[in-house]
Amino acid sequence: MGNDMAPKLLIEQSGVRSPDAALRLADQTVGAPLKPMNRESQVRSVAVLLFILTVAAVVFAGFNFNAEWKFLVPDDGVWWVENGGRLTADRVDPNGPGAKSGIKPGDQLISINGQDIQNMSGLERQLYRNGVWSKAAYSLLRQSVPLDSSVILVPAERSLNNWLRLIALIYLGIGLYVLLRRWTAPGSTHFYIFCLVSFIAYSFKYTGKLNDFDWTIYWGNIAAGVLQPALFLHFVLIFPEKREFVRKHPWVLALVYVPAALLLTAHVAAMQWLQASERLRWNLDRMEMSYGSLFFLAAAVVLWYSYRRASTTILRQQLKWVTRGTVLAIVPYTIFYVIPYLMGSLPGAGMKVSALSLALLPLTFGYAIFRYRLMDVDLIFKRGVVYTLAAAIVVGLYFALVAGVALLVHNWRPNSGSMGLVLAVVVTALLFDPVRKWIQDHIDQFFYRTSYDYRRTLLEFGRELGAETNLNTLLASLIDRLSRTLAVDRMAIFLAGDAAGEFALAKSFGLSAPGNVDLSFLSAPRPEQAGHLFFENTHQVPRETTEAQQAIARLDLNYYIPCHAQHKTIAVLGLGKTVQGDFLSSEDMELLETLGGYLGIAIQNSQLYASLQQKAAEYERLKDFNENIVESINVGVMALDMEDRIESWNAQMEVMYALPRWQTLTQPLKAIFPAEFVEEFDRMRQDAGIRNLYKFRMKTPAGEVRTVNVAVAPLVTRKFQVIGRLVIMDDITERVDLEAQLSQADKLSSIGLLAAGVAHEVNTPLAVISSYTQMLSKQLQGDPQKSGLLEKITRQTFRASEIVNNLLNFSRTSGSEIGDVNVNKVIADTLALLEHQFKIAKVEVQNAFEPKLPPIQGNAGRLQQVFLNLFLNAKDAMPGGGTLRVSTLNGESVSVSVSDTGTGIAPENIQRIYDPFFTTKTSPREGQARGTGLGLSVTYGIIQEHAGKIRVESHPGAGTTFTLDFPLSKKAVPSKAEYV
């Protein structure tokens, strides 16, 4: 099988994949072509023979282990050697039974239990007669002085055999796995024979019974032990390809087995013709170990030499970790076991542990043969080291935990017996799995270091690619993650175009500007079924077209992995070598091919998302435009579903109803609006079509009363399906107030014109009456009765004149001088004029003036008349005395508040108080003058002249408050006067 390896590698590297071609080349290297039937028969024969040998080896090993477990070999802890016809103690175990009984090196053994002992066979027979844990009476001679000693025999230490059997199982398992999975791979049969021989060498251990079965085990162990190094050296000389020296001198392979044959012959001769002795056995063991170590080291040297002389990068990478694996397996065993044993040391704990390194050989080479391109040997070597060390640590910790738990159970329940051990095993099994995983993770991280974390998360990254919808961000993230994970020096991503087979460079890393290159080779049909393109030498690709050769050379990428989605190639991922100049391993390629599927779907999704995003942006612009219309309209718009839950609430509704949107959405209509509105809404909804409700007075949550026009229309889809109702509310509160003011102003204007005409007409007769009355009064000064009548006529004439003057003032709209007016000063002066009247009427005045009240534009005299009317009305409203509160406030306007604690105004009179000649003083109380009904009308006119507003709030029996608002002066300067 080794002869097939060189042509196989040549076929792989040249790109030829045909099995028939590989078979023909392999047959040519071996010699004359074989007939298919003969070769098939040969393969079957070899398979049957290997099957029989394997079954026999496993059965014999099982019986041997069972016999060794049942048969305990007694031992006294002394290494006796033949010397002068007697057995002499050469070495004594410091912790053994012999040392505890006083036996020292150099003591001669005379007899045991009275039986004379002259050689090792006699000693072994006597020990077996006594048995384990029995007392044996030793008669010794120490420097010609006879001594007697009692030795309690113990079971011989054979724990190393169990470790060797574990290694044997690893060899057999790896060999079977390779043979069954890749039985046609070059070198697989040879490697399995090597593993089978190693299994026999490490698992066959004679027990000392020396019956026929024990002799079979003994000679099987001897034969396998001498064949193992020769088989391995033979394997190394032809794997992964036959060495040049071996090709020129084929007899070298036969020469490899000569030392093994000589050693086996020496063993047979020693047993048949020479006198068996312990020293002879030890010398043969030392020769066998020396031979094995030399051959294994020679194999390591051959691998190292081949690695140093490798002509191609692929071959160099193939041999790199194989060589290191062999060295790491052989050197610890040679240094820590073979050399100390050759120097005369007995096997100790450290020597036994060093034998575990031998398990790295099957782990490393097994995977190498399975993949037979050997591009994954670095990976399997690391894994071999990881799992070997992990297995050793795990087994040690497991038994340590079992012992610890058993000790705790024994201390807790001293009489637990075997149940305590069972409980310890169960508890340890439950607790051990997290410990094993922790050990495995940390060993993996130790060997893989930084790349371990990247490789472990790379597939997770691939699954997360679909979450990224921006194509540029997706490609940049992919380039960054792969370049760090795989440590490649060059990368590129080519996206498929609209035309079939068209690709374009979308993102790159480490590439010099390639310019315009022909990428048609990415879509060219190829006979290979591989999942990716691989070019070992980008400057030598004879199978490609001239244009493709130029493009491949300029890009200088060795790998091209297609990214598929829905049976279409969406993109191609190109990669170069690693920064150390090595090719990627097959695990890397499998990972990249898996990632290519995720990447293809992610790129397709991002492209679809970009198209969808564009359409969504257009839809969003249209939606925003429509929403802006709804939000910008100066009427409230509210949408309801079929169950009268609020689904939409525009900004004007928030302002008008004084309730934010988040508090209204999804709420039922009756939970938001007052019962009066809900009742009207229910009435309107009974009729189909658009229904209107005019000048509905609706109370808001803020306590205000708003006047609205309401329109209710069905909300329909494009298919004219009713899905709710649309409610439009037009807040006409200010419009109604303005209409009232205009109506009042128009009324006052009409009355003013009428009053002006009447005043001019009435003033003339009043003047005549007044003049003649005064003349008569002078002539009748001596007549008290007539003088009194004339005085009454004169007083009433003046009263009528005052009424006429008030009418003139009411009708006058211009002619007053306008300037800056300090409102605080005007109010203070007016209060001073009425101070005496307030005192008599028992009215307490409380004022709260804003210290820095700005001036307003107006006429101080006219404003004084306003305040005089308001103060006198307040005094008249408090016949029994009370409190008059006057305050000023600076804000968006200058505000004046006049409040009293009088009788108030009846609700039915509130709307009429500004009407001319409307008065409630028709029956004046004592001290009051009869009202003319022009005071508030004149006040209203003066406020309008000053562009102000007047509001009234009154509660019968609780008083009345008038609020006046004046606009700020454009030259407003805060007043420095303070009035208290």
Side-chain angles (χ1 to χ4, degrees), residues 188-248:
S188 60
T189 304
H190 190 149
F191 180 75
Y192 179 71
I193 294 174
F194 164 70
C195 290
L196 181 60
V197 170
S198 300
F199 172 77
I200 296 173
Y202 293 136
S203 63
F204 282 24
K205 304 296 177 183
Y206 73 98
T207 61
K209 288 184 176 182
L210 297 180
N211 53 19
D212 291 341
F213 178 77
D214 213 30
W215 278 113
T216 302
I217 295 296
Y218 175 79
W219 285 112
N221 175 264
I222 295 299
V226 297
L227 275 177
Q228 184 196 25
L231 285 170
F232 182 69
L233 183 57
H234 180 183
F235 181 75
V236 166
L237 289 173
I238 64 172
F239 188 83
E241 59 183 2
K242 188 175 291 186
R243 304 297 182 267
E244 185 66 26
F245 180 78
V246 176
R247 291 198 189 99
K248 294 180 179 179

Side-chain angles (χ1 to χ4, degrees), residues 458-459 461-462 465 478 482 591-600:
L458 194 55
L459 282 179
F461 168 70
L465 284 175
L478 178 70
L482 286 181
L591 186 144
L592 287 171
E593 290 177 3
T594 303
L595 185 64
Y598 294 123
L599 180 59

Side-chain angles (χ1 to χ4, degrees), residues 639-659:
L640 307 176
D641 62 10
M642 296 301 295
E643 296 180 0
D644 292 341
R645 286 193 299 265
I646 299 174
E647 297 293 336
S648 177
W649 184 275
N650 74 339
Q652 185 62 27
M653 284 294 297
E654 291 183 312
V655 175
M656 180 187 69
Y657 200 63
L659 202 62

Side-chain angles (χ1 to χ4, degrees), residues 76-78 91-103 105 346:
D76 57 8
V78 182
R91 294 179 182 83
V92 180
D93 185 1
N95 298 320
K100 293 179 181 179
S101 300
I103 302 176
L346 295 176

Side-chain angles (χ1 to χ4, degrees), residues 873-874 876-879 900-907 909-910 913 920 925 952-962:
N873 285 343
D876 293 340
M878 298 181 289
D900 63 60
T901 59
T903 58
I905 304 174
N909 295 331
I910 286 289
I913 58 176
T920 59
R925 302 181 184 91
V952 61
E953 293 181 10
S954 181
H955 302 281
T960 303
T961 299
F962 281 91

Side-chain angles (χ1 to χ4, degrees), residues 612-664:
L612 181 62
Q613 194 174 32
Q614 182 179 1
K615 294 180 180 179
E618 296 176 359
Y619 171 78
E620 192 67 24
R621 284 195 297 270
L622 181 60
K623 179 175 175 291
D624 290 342
F625 181 74
N626 293 333
E627 288 183 354
N628 289 337
I629 293 176
V630 174
E631 291 295 323
S632 301
I633 198 170
N634 62 347
V635 296
V637 178
M638 173 178 61
L640 307 176
D641 62 10
M642 296 301 295
E643 296 180 0
D644 292 341
R645 286 193 299 265
I646 299 174
E647 297 293 336
S648 177
W649 184 275
N650 74 339
Q652 185 62 27
M653 284 294 297
E654 291 183 312
V655 175
M656 180 187 69
Y657 200 63
L659 202 62
R661 181 178 303 163
W662 64 269
Q663 291 185 4
T664 62

